[in-house]
Amino acid sequence: MYVGVLTGGGDCPGLNAVIRAVVRRGLQLGMKFAGIRDGWKGLLELSVAPLTRESISGLLPRGGTILGTSRTNPLKNKEDTEKLTTNIKKLGLDCIIAIGGDDTLGVATKLYKMGINTVGVPKTIDNDLSATDFTFGFDTAVSIVTEALDRLHTTTEAHHRVMVVEVMGRHAGWIAVYGGLAGGADLILIPEKPFNMDEVCGVVRKRRNEGKNFSIIVVAEGAYPEEAGGMITKDTELDAFGHVRLGGVGEFLAKEIEARTGIETRHVVLGHLQRGGSPTAFDRILATRYGVRAVELAHEGKFGRMVALRGNQIVDVSLEEATGETKTVNQELYRIASIFFG
Ligand code: F6P
């Protein structure tokens, strides 16, 4: 069996560990692999290279993706869709293993419905894919946020300031809640729960009145004030899947807090730092388990499926089920986090 492997969407630590696991297990099963460059774009441009035992050597701890990635939507128009299907035939691929988030796997779902064999591996540091308990990359992002919060605590306390820390999380505040819980945030703001500026300032003032003259606020990039009625964006341009570039809520909050409370406030945007560097041990193991099972699914002819973590078991679910809806932060977890607010 000849299998194409691609990574699509935003990169995240653990992608290379999946590629390594797919190829290592697949070679044992007698399969052959093509690495498709830059996500679906590589299939439109026929940009592929063999993945061999040698080319995947040393990948386990390496961040990024040796295949490159892009946010190309190959089904955007009829011409590209035709080019894509023709090229898949031209290359003689029996199956494509797509490693990606909602958008990349959405394409894999559609291709499967069009008669092309696909298997999905869930990836997003946002951890917002509904069919799996965890995506790899998330744990690494949380550990980076936690370390940043530890460091920001000392300088914020020394200057008696408020520090607003903006983290990733477009539609779901998983990184904010996990990172904020682990790093002892005094307030966590998430997209699922629009915030109220009076309440935010109330928390800062209350802490000051109680003798705590610094505050750390973690905000997910997709969080927004009730009165704004929608996310704060960098610009209005949309990517191929219709997403705007988020960013700016941290700066907005810092300015508002300082203006309303008179307390010196700074903001930090952790941005792509959260996606860079080596995966944690948890993510390396999860990525490896996903990769092994994904290639085994292909070998067993179980197409249109995605590997997923349920409890401590790797299972497989239909790609359609997996790409249906966003997994938002559960209320119980946010309740626990909020016990420590103020
Ligand atoms: O989807 C994952 C993610 O990291 C989001 O949290 C973030 O909004 C986005 O990607 C950033 O994308 P880009 O790499 O295009 O700046």
Side-chain angles (χ1 to χ4, degrees):
M1 181 181 255
Y2 186 38
V3 177
V5 183
L6 64 82
T7 52
D11 73 320
C12 83
L15 284 168
N16 282 325
V18 179
I19 297 166
R20 168 184 177 265
V22 164
V23 176
R24 288 283 296 263
R25 179 64 182 130
L27 290 175
Q28 289 172 358
L29 295 169
M31 299 157 96
K32 265 179 59 194
F33 296 93
I36 300 162
R37 292 201 189 91
D38 298 335
W40 298 112
K41 190 168 169 227
L43 282 177
L44 292 177
E45 296 177 354
L46 278 176
S47 178
V48 301
L51 280 172
T52 61
R53 180 72 178 81
E54 289 68 44
S55 64
I56 52 129
S57 180
L59 284 192
L60 184 59
R62 224 164 110 184
T65 159
I66 55 159
L67 295 176
T69 184
S70 74
R71 293 194 191 273
T72 304
N73 179 358
L75 305 179
K76 212 173 53 214
N77 55 51
K78 218 170 142 221
E79 276 161 37
D80 280 355
T81 306
E82 271 168 25
K83 199 192 251 182
L84 182 79
T85 49
T86 310
N87 286 353
I88 291 170
K89 277 195 200 109
K90 216 185 258 176
L91 289 167
L93 294 173
D94 301 307
C95 171
I96 296 166
I97 295 184
I99 311 165
D102 223 15
D103 297 329
T104 307
L105 298 182
V107 173
T109 310
K110 287 185 188 140
L111 288 181
Y112 175 64
K113 284 188 186 156
M114 288 158 62
I116 293 166
N117 296 332
T118 54
V119 169
V121 178
K123 169 253 38 153
T124 163
I125 63 162
D126 291 356
N127 196 40
D128 59 359
L129 280 175
S130 61
T132 185
D133 289 351
F134 287 103
T135 47
F136 63 89
F138 171 67
D139 184 68
T140 307
V142 169
S143 76
I144 292 165
V145 171
T146 306
E147 198 204 327
L149 292 182
D150 289 348
R151 290 178 183 277
L152 290 167
H153 256 98
T154 60
T155 170
T156 307
E157 188 169 9
H159 286 266
H160 322 304
R161 284 171 172 156
V162 175
M163 185 65 73
V164 179
V165 188
E166 183 181 311
V167 302
M168 281 187 171
R170 213 186 259 273
H171 303 293
W174 290 104
I175 296 178
V177 174
Y178 268 68
L181 257 172
D186 303 309
L187 185 61
I188 302 169
L189 305 173
I190 58 175
E192 293 86 335
K193 207 175 173 303
F195 57 85
N196 176 293
M197 264 331 293
D198 291 336
E199 282 171 20
V200 171
C201 293
V203 168
V204 171
R205 286 201 194 94
K206 178 174 168 274
R207 279 179 60 79
R208 189 144 285 211
N209 292 340
E210 288 170 354
K212 293 271 187 199
N213 53 8
F214 75 96
S215 296
I216 304 264
I217 299 177
V218 174
V219 60
E221 61 182 348
Y224 56 93
E226 278 166 354
E227 51 270 40
M231 293 175 188
I232 298 177
T233 56
K234 270 261 173 276
D235 47 46
T236 50
E237 218 176 289
L238 302 182
D239 70 15
F241 288 94
H243 305 301
V244 283
R245 237 177 101 204
L246 297 181
V249 66
E251 187 178 0
F252 164 85
L253 268 167
K255 281 189 181 143
E256 282 291 312
I257 292 168
E258 188 166 295
R260 290 175 184 230
T261 65
I263 303 170
E264 194 177 25
T265 306
R266 296 280 193 271
H267 77 280
V268 173
V269 180
L270 294 185
H272 296 85
L273 275 175
Q274 297 158 92
R275 287 203 333 222
S278 282
T280 57
F282 179 90
D283 280 337
R284 292 180 200 192
I285 294 165
L286 183 59
T288 300
R289 293 174 78 193
Y290 277 163
V292 167
R293 189 60 198 132
V295 79
E296 287 177 352
L297 285 174
H299 188 250
E300 290 161 17
K302 292 187 177 153
F303 305 117
R305 311 290 295 169
M306 183 194 86
V307 291
L309 182 72
R310 295 268 170 91
N312 198 26
Q313 297 300 312
I314 301 292
V315 298
D316 57 276
V317 296
S318 86
L319 267 171
E320 189 151 26
E321 180 193 331
T323 50
E325 65 188 83
T326 304
K327 182 182 67 187
T328 51
V329 169
N330 68 59
Q331 287 184 11
E332 176 54 11
L333 183 68
Y334 195 72
R335 184 187 73 81
I336 301 221
S338 64
I339 289 171
F340 302 91
F341 293 172

